[in-house]
Amino acid sequence: MQKIRNNTLKDILFYNDIAVFTYKIDYPFFLTTCSTSAARGINAYYAAKAEKLEQYCRTVLYDEAVESARYIQKNNPPFHSYELEEVYTVTYNERCITSLYTEQYTYMGGAHGATERTSDTWDFSSGRRIELSDFYPENRDYPDRIKACIEEQTAQRLKAAPSTYFDNYPELIRQNFHKDNFYMNADGIVLYFQQYDIAPYSSGLPEFELHFKDSSPPV
């Protein structure tokens, strides 16, 4: 099991004494007895990723916020500060394997913000990122198997809660399925889709769990 320390980059950016943009970026720092060199590489990855996002906030997104603030000052509606917040959730942390997902919420005006999720599953003995294919070492057709399982789960959910997915969800599942969009938990792997991929905004980020009885843990 890895010990995890949280690091944060945050600031409030102003334009003419108006707080136009705020950001808060959490990212993990790992300590492990599995491989110190692997942890060093993984930590460097998250630090560089956070610094790159901070630079994006302080340039591109800040400039967009300033332009909006200028327009609103001229036209007098209330200005709501733009924001970005990135947080991570550790879903599995046993032996030399750690899995987590990161959600980035941005509000850049409009009725509501948007959330995008990414995820990583790491082998701290080697520093290698575990891929979805590692759970299906003897099944090259595993993507089709997973998509069929997701379609079945979606159909069952629609019986209990109609209109929670788009009508053409089978097509959208196959169109928007991405092998990187998964994380581990104690029971298996969880596949997820982004907002609007297969369901309306009110449905959030749809998740589908496949238990380890349907796949083999890569440990």
Side-chain angles (χ1 to χ4, degrees):
M1 177 183 293
Q2 286 54 251
K3 293 183 180 180
I4 305 168
R5 187 180 74 203
N6 183 65
N7 289 337
T8 301
L9 300 174
K10 62 180 179 179
D11 202 356
I12 303 173
L13 305 180
F14 290 83
Y15 170 74
N16 285 351
D17 298 325
I18 302 172
V20 296
F21 189 82
T22 64
Y23 66 85
K24 181 175 181 288
I25 304 165
D26 289 341
Y27 64 98
F29 180 89
F30 297 96
L31 297 172
T32 184
T33 57
C34 297
S35 170
T36 55
S37 62
R40 190 179 306 115
I42 294 169
N43 288 333
Y45 164 79
Y46 283 110
K49 181 172 174 283
E51 291 169 3
K52 182 178 180 180
L53 180 57
E54 181 179 45
Q55 183 64 19
Y56 182 70
C57 288
R58 300 187 71 88
T59 55
V60 176
L61 296 187
Y62 171 71
D63 288 345
E64 291 182 17
V66 168
E67 285 302 311
S68 180
R70 287 173 176 168
Y71 174 83
I72 286 176
Q73 282 183 327
K74 293 178 181 179
N75 293 274
N76 294 322
F79 175 74
H80 299 287
S81 178
Y82 287 7
E83 65 175 299
L84 179 145
E85 183 175 13
E86 184 163 284
V87 297
Y88 63 90
T89 300
V90 177
T91 59
Y92 186 89
N93 187 30
E94 297 291 338
R95 299 184 295 279
C96 292
I97 303 295
T98 299
S99 188
L100 69 156
Y101 65 81
T102 301
E103 290 191 339
Q104 183 183 114
Y105 170 82
T106 53
Y107 174 77
M108 301 296 290
H112 54 70
T115 300
E116 183 176 1
R117 178 184 292 177
T118 58
S119 52
D120 300 296
T121 300
W122 298 100
D123 180 349
F124 274 83
S125 62
S126 64
R128 187 179 73 89
R129 182 185 279 104
I130 294 174
E131 306 291 343
L132 187 59
S133 58
D134 293 325
F135 294 87
Y136 302 90
E138 299 179 358
N139 188 347
R140 295 183 179 180
D141 298 327
Y142 75 91
D144 290 333
R145 175 182 170 183
I146 290 175
K147 293 171 192 175
C149 185
I150 291 174
E151 285 185 38
E152 182 180 346
Q153 290 189 37
T154 303
Q156 292 299 319
R157 294 177 186 182
L158 282 169
K159 292 179 181 179
S163 302
T164 50
Y165 293 87
F166 295 134
D167 291 340
N168 60 333
Y169 69 87
E171 174 188 351
L172 293 175
I173 286 171
R174 296 184 178 276
Q175 177 182 323
N176 294 308
F177 174 81
H178 295 290
K179 297 177 183 179
D180 292 336
N181 290 357
F182 82 94
Y183 60 86
M184 283 180 64
N185 62 20
D187 298 318
I189 53 177
V190 178
L191 287 300
Y192 60 87
F193 291 81
Q194 304 295 346
Q195 289 178 334
Y196 298 113
D197 272 356
I198 64 173
Y201 179 83
S202 57
S203 295
L205 283 74
E207 295 186 339
F208 302 88
E209 185 171 80
L210 301 180
H211 291 170
F212 279 135
K213 67 180 181 180
D214 302 317
S215 60
S216 300
V219 292

